[in-house]
Amino acid sequence: MLSLTRPLSVRPRFAPKPLSLQTTRRLPLLTYQATSNKPMAKGKKSYWLLKTEPSEWSWDDQRANGGVSQWDGVRNRQAVNNLKSMRPGDLCFFYHSGSGTASRRIIGVVRVTKPWYLIGDGDIDGAVDVKEVGELQKHVELKEIKKAAEKEAELKGFALIKQPRLSVVPVSEWVWEQLCEMGGGFSEGNELADAKEE
């Protein structure tokens, strides 16, 4: 789960901090690709899943700021290590956690634009910056993923299922492709991203 990085922050609890719209830039049209469960070798793209409570920071909130935000407030050591492993260009599923009809589903895809950096006055709190890439054609609910995992061993081992409290999850190549297929791919603007990015 995301949490505050600064006690006096005016942001809602668990909400990533919006960045200035001046830092935004147009991203190329993308499609789904994937990688291993561990960060890939230097120069290779990795894939992740980022969880957020929609009542605190939703996909609509992400889009409202030009698609750019500072993903901070992560406290779990494993989740922090996953954030530290991210590099610019990595893609992440944007996942609504919590309860309610809008929750527990993959909504879209964001791209890491700035790797881990320290924030505030301390040497512990940090963040990565992410920008919206596109929304899935069909949101993929957790119950759908669990149902598919009954038939596929690799999905059964997916950290979203095995470690449900982990807020930053690595995504394997096979799992990324399967989840994107379940969601019908994702779009940027009104165009479906249907060609793999080299």
Side-chain angles (χ1 to χ4, degrees):
M1 304 291 291
L2 297 173
S3 61
L4 288 174
T5 56
R6 298 175 212 156
L8 300 178
S9 174
V10 295
R11 291 179 290 127
R13 191 165 184 240
F14 306 127
K17 181 180 176 184
L19 296 176
S20 167
L21 289 176
Q22 295 177 344
T23 65
T24 64
R25 63 183 176 83
R26 183 89 175 142
L27 293 174
L29 190 63
L30 300 172
T31 188
Y32 51 85
Q33 288 185 17
T35 181
S36 66
N37 273 328
K38 297 178 181 179
M40 295 191 71
K42 188 174 181 180
K44 298 286 187 179
K45 185 181 297 182
S46 295
Y47 296 79
W48 310 88
L49 181 144
L50 299 171
K51 293 183 182 178
T52 178
E53 296 264 359
S55 60
E56 305 296 343
W57 187 259
S58 69
W59 181 253
D60 288 340
D61 294 325
Q62 182 76 24
R63 284 186 151 174
N65 193 54
V68 179
S69 67
Q70 178 186 72
W71 205 273
D72 63 356
V74 177
R75 294 283 186 246
N76 175 280
R77 181 173 298 203
Q78 185 178 358
V80 167
N81 286 338
N82 287 338
L83 281 181
K84 287 180 176 180
S85 296
M86 292 181 179
R87 294 180 300 272
D90 285 358
L91 294 179
C92 313
F93 284 127
F94 190 103
Y95 180 90
H96 279 177
S97 61
S99 58
T101 57
S103 301
R104 297 184 183 176
R105 64 184 64 203
I106 299 171
I107 304 296
V109 175
V110 294
R111 179 196 289 272
V112 177
T113 58
K114 185 175 181 181
W116 176 266
Y117 58 96
L118 293 175
I119 55 178
D121 299 327
D123 58 355
I124 298 174
D125 293 332
V128 298
D129 293 349
V130 297
K131 186 181 188 308
E132 173 200 1
V133 173
E135 186 169 355
L136 289 176
Q137 299 299 301
K138 174 187 174 293
H139 298 170
V140 182
E141 297 184 23
L142 178 60
K143 63 183 179 182
E144 295 176 68
I145 299 170
K146 287 182 174 179
K147 186 174 180 180
E150 294 173 4
K151 300 175 183 177
E152 299 289 351
E154 191 165 348
L155 265 179
K156 193 177 291 185
F158 183 28
L160 178 64
I161 297 171
K162 289 194 66 102
Q163 297 177 275
R165 297 184 64 83
L166 189 62
S167 63
V168 182
V169 178
V171 181
S172 75
E173 177 176 353
W174 189 88
V175 169
W176 181 272
E177 291 175 349
Q178 293 302 307
L179 295 178
C180 283
E181 185 175 328
M182 290 169 68
F186 54 90
S187 60
E188 182 178 7
N190 293 322
E191 293 186 73
L192 180 64
D194 57 3
K196 288 194 174 183
E197 182 185 50
E198 296 300 327

